Amino acid sequence: QVQLVESGGGLVQTGGSLRLSCVISGDVLDLNAVAWHRQAPGKERELVARIFPGRRSIKYGDFVKGRFTISQNRKTVYLQMNVLEPEDTGVYSCEGNIKPLGSDRWNDYWGQGTQVTVSS
């Protein structure tokens, strides 16, 4: 069984920083991509950043504008967020496209999310 657990959310003032972590555990055979998504109240979920470890490729949402950095260390994926704005408030969730042990299929797994609140 594969699990993703996020941590690092919290309350921060405008202009502050947070570092989110997503720890992947369980029977992981291969890891294709890991992404951070966010959802603000009343809004649709949107992609924040996605990393493809095997291809060393990274994609960011247009709103990031150089403020966030996604990185990976083995089975932990980080999202360093700087210059935070109230508009960055939301639940940040980690998603992994993973091939579990004993399977030949790639599946998407999600964490439970972590709340980020940026006060003005």
Side-chain angles (χ1 to χ4, degrees), residues 53-95:
R55 287 179 268 169
R56 298 184 180 181
S57 173
I58 290 175
K59 176 182 173 62
Y60 291 101
D62 291 340
F63 61 86
V64 170
K65 298 179 181 178
R67 299 179 299 132
F68 300 173
T69 302
I70 188 171
S71 62
Q72 180 207 6
N73 183 2
R74 298 186 179 182
K75 292 185 180 178
T76 301
V77 176
Y78 303 97
L79 183 68
Q80 176 67 44
M81 304 189 294
N82 300 323
V83 197
L84 284 162
E85 305 165 349
E87 293 73 21
D88 295 315
T89 294
V91 176
Y92 284 67
S93 300
C94 181
E95 175 209 5

Side-chain angles (χ1 to χ4, degrees), residues 9-113:
L11 174 64
V12 65
Q13 292 184 332
T14 297
S17 299
L18 284 173
R19 188 193 197 199
L20 307 183
S21 299
C22 172
V23 177
I24 302 168
S25 63
D27 299 329
V28 176
L29 177 63
D30 203 355
L31 184 64
N32 178 44
V34 180
W36 284 98
H37 301 263
R38 72 181 188 185
Q39 186 165 22
K43 294 187 177 180
E44 293 187 355
R45 186 171 61 201
E46 59 183 346
L47 174 70
V48 179
R50 177 175 281 121
I51 186 168
F52 297 85
R55 287 179 268 169
R56 298 184 180 181
S57 173
I58 290 175
K59 176 182 173 62
Y60 291 101
D62 291 340
F63 61 86
V64 170
K65 298 179 181 178
R67 299 179 299 132
F68 300 173
T69 302
I70 188 171
S71 62
Q72 180 207 6
N73 183 2
R74 298 186 179 182
K75 292 185 180 178
T76 301
V77 176
Y78 303 97
L79 183 68
Q80 176 67 44
M81 304 189 294
N82 300 323
V83 197
L84 284 162
E85 305 165 349
E87 293 73 21
D88 295 315
T89 294
V91 176
Y92 284 67
S93 300
C94 181
E95 175 209 5
N97 186 241
I98 295 167
K99 185 180 290 184
L101 281 172
S103 175
D104 60 354
R105 293 185 175 184
W106 296 96
N107 298 320
D108 290 329
Y109 298 86
W110 289 82
Q112 81 289 349

